[in-house]
Amino acid sequence: MPHLPATWKERKEADLDRRVERIQRDHKFQWLRTRKIRRILVAISALLCVGIIPAFVLAGAIVGIVVTIAAWASWWLLRISVRTVADLPERFLDERQLAVRNRAYVYAYLILGWIVAALATIGLVAFVLVSENDSVTLTTTWDQALGLVLTLTLLISLLPSMVVGWSEAGEQPTKLIAES
Amino acid sequence: MLYSIYATYMGRRSKENEPAVFSRLEEWRLDRGLSRQELSDAVSVHYQTIGYLERGEYSPSLALALQIASELDVPLEELFSLQPFTKSRKGV
């Protein structure tokens, strides 16, 4: 009698195994895995991420949510394009993929660090400039706060896949049957 | 710029200083009648990794190199070398 997954954790693990197997062996989305398409996806993802805050601030919550969904969709495509290498647990990766993932996280950390440092510096400088008379009232709306939180959350999730997508060469077509 | 920061802080050697590993993997794989997918399944790596190894774009760990050599039943030095292979494996 075959072993049936009993617990919730076992079912979740089995489901993850199936999904990873599917994406690692996938040939259907091979058109997404060329260097050119990967870099286009990275550029689109970056633009959409950067666009979330202006969308919320300038055009309102509805447009902001639409841009956020578009950014999420581009992330989804980018993950398929790089076979989710940046997001998988170690046990699913071979030694080359693991090296790629680890390198991507170092770069992603550096990029995120620079972005956060730049945002904090700009914010502080702006605050110092406008608060010369010590009577500044800072106001913000829920939409603006939501835009900032969504941008940072998406950036944290996206950056490793973006680094992999930008730096990795496109996949070579492979013959499933050996030539004689 | 990011690469120089990474290289400086992570103590990584620049890619130019890494020794190249030359490979005759594709030749031997085809000789054994295996596809990349079949070989990758046998040694538990992704089939694209076999492609990277065949093109000399990735240097395998010793464990992986030995596994591949064992799977193809070929001496390790016939598969990978730090010197370019001067003649084909048939000695021609």
Side-chain angles (χ1 to χ4, degrees):
Chain A
M1 188 177 164
H3 169 71
L4 295 173
T7 65
W8 176 81
K9 195 180 171 193
E10 277 179 339
R11 279 199 301 273
K12 204 172 159 227
E13 292 269 313
D15 182 49
L16 179 64
D17 286 357
R18 271 195 303 275
R19 281 190 288 133
V20 171
E21 182 74 9
R22 204 164 54 225
I23 197 160
Q24 290 291 327
R25 286 177 175 271
D26 170 69
H27 293 283
K28 207 166 48 181
F29 292 98
Q30 211 57 24
W31 59 275
L32 276 175
R33 300 190 176 107
T34 64
R35 169 165 265 188
K36 189 178 169 191
I37 296 290
R38 279 180 175 168
R39 289 194 163 185
I40 289 171
L41 283 173
V42 171
I44 291 171
S45 303
L47 282 173
L48 287 169
C49 260
V50 171
I52 290 174
I53 295 177
F56 269 100
V57 173
L58 302 173
I62 302 292
V63 178
I65 289 168
V66 170
V67 175
T68 306
I69 291 170
W72 181 85
S74 73
W75 177 41
W76 184 75
L77 286 174
L78 189 58
R79 290 178 81 225
I80 292 176
S81 168
V82 298
R83 295 182 187 272
T84 61
V85 161
D87 304 315
L88 288 177
E90 284 186 16
R91 69 188 168 97
F92 292 112
L93 303 172
D94 68 32
E95 60 177 52
R96 186 192 64 82
Q97 292 173 317
L98 198 56
V100 167
R101 189 197 72 168
N102 291 346
R103 197 165 56 239
Y105 270 84
V106 172
Y107 282 114
Y109 171 79
L110 284 171
I111 294 167
L112 190 66
W114 282 108
I115 290 171
V116 171
L119 283 176
T121 307
I122 291 167
L124 278 172
V125 169
F127 181 72
V128 170
L129 287 176
V130 298
S131 64
E132 275 177 348
N133 56 7
D134 290 334
S135 59
V136 175
T137 308
L138 284 178
T139 56
T140 186
T141 63
W142 281 110
D143 286 354
Q144 291 162 353
L146 184 63
L148 184 64
V149 169
L150 285 173
T151 300
L152 286 176
T153 309
L154 265 169
L155 267 180
I156 290 165
S157 315
L158 257 168
L159 269 172
S161 290
M162 285 169 82
V163 173
V164 175
W166 191 265
S167 57
E168 277 290 277
E171 287 194 3
Q172 303 275 325
T174 189
K175 291 178 181 63
L176 297 177
I177 299 165
E179 295 160 344
S180 54
Chain B
M1 188 189 85
L2 274 171
Y3 184 78
S4 65
I5 294 170
Y6 173 59
T8 305
Y9 290 104
M10 303 304 288
R12 194 178 192 284
R13 289 178 301 178
S14 73
K15 283 182 179 169
E16 296 79 44
N17 295 334
E18 283 178 7
V21 173
F22 298 91
S23 159
R24 264 200 310 216
L25 176 57
E26 186 173 18
E27 217 177 316
W28 279 106
R29 175 177 62 77
L30 292 175
D31 186 78
R32 297 295 189 252
L34 292 172
S35 68
R36 281 183 185 166
Q37 185 74 69
E38 286 164 340
L39 179 59
S40 67
D41 286 343
V43 296
S44 304
V45 296
H46 194 263
Y47 72 86
Q48 287 288 330
T49 299
I50 300 295
Y52 275 85
L53 290 169
E54 290 179 351
R55 295 190 298 276
E57 292 173 6
Y58 174 71
S59 306
S61 69
L62 182 58
L64 178 58
L66 288 168
Q67 243 184 313
I68 293 171
S70 161
E71 193 58 38
L72 296 176
D73 194 22
V74 177
L76 187 59
E77 62 274 18
E78 285 290 317
L79 272 179
F80 301 106
S81 169
L82 291 174
Q83 309 299 327
F85 290 100
T86 50
K87 55 184 180 183
S88 93
R89 62 190 171 76
K90 286 168 186 158
V92 181

